[in-house]
């Protein structure tokens, strides 16, 4: 498994990480890995959402905004059943 050395960690962050690890009954290393994993998952989700929003905006620009009366659509759908 690869190893990462993180230099220049502020003392207060180190202390908080140590306290979190102790509270969770984990080693400092295990706690740091969990935080890395969680942070990476969140960043991936943010990027995915941002890309989806960019794609939707590009589609809106290409097609234009479509005004739809959803109440009418629902009523028409019920009549068709």
């Amino acid at each position: 498994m690869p190893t990462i050395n993180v230099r220049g960690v502020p003392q207060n962050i180190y202390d908080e990480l140590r306290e979190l690890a102790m509270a969770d009954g984990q080693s400092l290393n295990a706690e740091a890995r969990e935080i890395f994993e969680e942070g990476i998952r969140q960043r991936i989700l943010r990027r995915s959402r941002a890309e989806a929003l960019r794609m939707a905006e590009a589609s809106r620009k290409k097609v234009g905004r479509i005004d739809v009366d959803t109440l009418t659509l629902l009523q028409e759908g019920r009549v068709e059943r």
Side-chain angles (χ1 to χ4, degrees):
M1 184 176 289
T3 300
I4 297 175
N5 293 314
V6 181
R7 293 185 178 97
V9 176
Q11 187 65 46
N12 65 318
I13 298 297
Y14 178 84
D15 293 341
E16 289 178 34
L17 180 61
R18 189 181 65 227
E19 288 176 22
L20 287 170
M22 287 173 47
D24 291 342
Q26 299 193 91
S27 69
L28 192 68
N29 220 29
E31 189 72 26
R33 271 195 312 270
E34 279 189 19
I35 291 170
F36 274 132
E37 290 171 9
E38 182 180 330
I40 288 169
R41 279 194 300 273
Q42 288 177 2
R43 282 191 139 195
I44 289 169
L45 282 174
R46 272 198 310 266
R47 286 182 183 169
S48 296
R49 286 184 200 126
E51 181 60 24
L53 289 173
R54 276 194 294 276
M55 290 171 63
E57 184 60 30
S59 178
R60 272 194 291 273
K61 285 180 180 178
K62 187 184 289 186
V63 175
R65 197 158 188 83
I66 301 172
D67 290 323
V68 177
D69 180 5
T70 54
L71 180 58
T72 301
L73 286 175
L74 286 170
Q75 290 170 340
E76 288 173 357
R78 289 183 183 140
V79 170
E80 291 175 5
R81 289 186 200 176

